[in-house]
Amino acid sequence: MTSTQFRALWLEFHERVRVERDQLNRLDAAIGDADHGTNLDRGLQKVAACAADTTDHLAATCRQVGTVLLSTVGGASGALWGSALLRAAGALPDSDTCDTAAALAALGQGVSAIQARGHAELGDKTMLDVWLPSLEDLDRRLSAGAACGEAVAATAGRAAVLAQDTAPLQARRGRAAYLGPRSVGHVDPGSVSTALFWQALATVLARS
Ligand code: ADP
Ligand code: MG
């Protein structure tokens, strides 16, 4: 991945969140406070503006994205995305390009930060229900010899299914957990936005 692709990723992710903003808010209205789409859209709008303005290398850009998300998204997801990006930056080089192994390591570090900050586990009906199995899916495909772009595209498809698969789960973390059994039957909004991130990554990699 190059720093140009990395910046394009955030523009693409923002575009997808912008289009789906109302739907993400509707999902959050059912089991939360109806702000997930608005939260992410606001933060990513700022990220997109900053990304368009910088020529920094990968690690610095990733740190900047994390800082902006922490300060502008708000809600649980802002803290979680911000922590993820700040931790992921540590696995990225101070240069304009990184290999697949470094990109995978950065994704892994980001997900570890989400776990450390939010204390959620697989099955708790949070964005981790997409992040954890998606990362495993990508790792498996790459280990089996798939080309990076094809592997990410396939993982993005899987992520969309995983997001829908959160519906039957009962929430045990985040605002939705207050609903207890009443959270069952609704798709988790943070899982849907995470699937949008994977789709954005696949789109950016397919362009080059
Ligand atoms: P808030 O719940 O503070 O309003 P958002 O609506 O922006 O924040 O984000 C809600 C999403 O954040 C949930 O759908 C869920 O995926 C994710 N989330 C909430 N708490 C946690 C947690 N402890 N660990 C991982 N993800 C979480
Ligand atoms: Mg919310």
Side-chain angles (χ1 to χ4, degrees), residues 27 31 122-131 133 159-171 183-194:
L27 292 174
I31 55 170
L122 193 66
D124 283 353
K125 199 182 184 96
T126 72
M127 58 171 86
L128 282 173
D129 291 320
V130 173
W131 276 120
V161 174
L162 287 164
Q164 297 302 312
D165 286 350
T166 59
L169 301 173
Q170 178 171 330
S183 63
V184 172
H186 303 280
V187 169
D188 174 56
S191 295
V192 173
S193 54
T194 298

Side-chain angles (χ1 to χ4, degrees), residues 25 28-29 31-37 39 75-77 175 189:
N25 283 340
D28 197 26
I31 55 170
D33 55 357
D35 64 356
H36 186 58
N39 282 345
S77 60
R175 212 176 277 280

